[in-house]
Amino acid sequence: MGKRPRNRLELRAEVEAAEARGMMPAETRPRSPRSPSTESRPKSSSSTRMKIVWAVCDIGGRTIVTFDFPQKADAEAAAKALKARGKGEHFVRQVKQEML
């Protein structure tokens, strides 16, 4: 079974006693001065505001037409109309756009 860990206060007292006698243990070296801390840069706030719109997209993910967020029913109706016209599969998803 191993030894129990030594108390840091006891270790500190031993080092101070050695320093008082003028003896420095071989494993203890004087500390190098700490380098000055660099100033942290503030995060840049995004200057563009975003809004969420409903986008009717094709299977490739390309946006065909967009609708404002409250007009989800219109976006779904447009996707169904494109599918009924035989233009392939279309789906509705939320997309973030820059506000102008």
Side-chain angles (χ1 to χ4, degrees), residues 1 4 7 12 18 35 46 49 56 60 62 67 73 79 81 94-95:
M1 193 161 189
R4 69 180 182 100
N7 186 348
R12 183 69 177 163
S35 63
S46 63
R49 291 176 54 194
V56 178
R62 292 181 296 271
F67 294 91
Q94 294 180 6
V95 177

Side-chain angles (χ1 to χ4, degrees), residues 34-40:
R34 200 171 190 191
S35 63
S37 63
T38 59
E39 294 181 19
S40 62

Side-chain angles (χ1 to χ4, degrees), residues 39-47:
E39 294 181 19
S40 62
R41 297 180 188 169
K43 289 186 178 180
S44 62
S45 61
S46 63
S47 60

